[in-house]
Amino acid sequence: VQLQASGGGLVQAGGSLRLSCVVSGRIFSSWVMGWFRQAPGKDREFVALSRWNGRGTGYADSVKGRFTISTNNGNTVYLQMNSLKPEDTAVYYCARATSYSTFSSDYDRWGQGTQVTVSS
């Protein structure tokens, strides 16, 4: 299984971006897909998660109401990010777990990361 994240970029505060994570290989509906982010000098933190079948979505308090995780019933997981803030600036990673968890240690497959920069 390989994960390929894309869609990052530079955006002004208040703007939007949509990140994509393409998953190669056989996919199981029981998988949990997560998005994490890591800002310079900070630990990697949980952003959002969803079961591959779209059920059981969850969000960090800092992004709730602004970010939406979804799948396309194919092989792609999305993170729609609206009302972006400078504090959202980070490298964003998609990841796969086999249990429903917000802990990065429970995720065993990771994409390469995509940079999101929000200017004030």
Side-chain angles (χ1 to χ4, degrees):
V1 174
Q2 292 185 327
L3 283 65
Q4 181 77 30
S6 63
L10 174 63
V11 64
Q12 289 188 330
S16 298
L17 282 174
R18 188 176 77 161
L19 306 184
S20 300
C21 177
V22 177
V23 182
S24 63
R26 186 177 179 183
I27 295 170
F28 293 86
S29 61
S30 60
W31 285 0
V32 176
M33 302 301 298
W35 286 96
F36 292 79
R37 66 187 182 187
Q38 188 166 19
K42 294 187 177 182
D43 293 334
R44 190 170 297 187
E45 65 174 0
F46 163 74
V47 175
L49 82 167
S50 174
R51 296 189 186 280
W52 189 266
N53 60 15
R55 299 175 181 175
T57 58
Y59 300 91
D61 287 343
S62 59
V63 307
K64 201 171 293 183
R66 300 188 298 121
F67 290 12
T68 303
I69 186 172
S70 63
T71 62
N72 68 347
N73 293 320
N75 64 341
T76 306
V77 180
Y78 301 101
L79 185 68
Q80 177 66 44
M81 305 186 297
N82 299 328
S83 301
L84 283 162
K85 305 175 181 180
E87 52 263 44
D88 294 319
T89 295
V91 177
Y92 283 71
Y93 299 89
C94 60
R96 188 281 307 264
T98 55
S99 61
Y100 195 79
S101 173
T102 62
F103 294 100
S104 60
S105 57
D106 289 326
Y107 289 74
D108 60 354
R109 293 288 188 271
W110 291 81
Q112 84 286 5
T114 184
Q115 176 71 47
V116 172
T117 303
V118 184
S119 62
S120 57

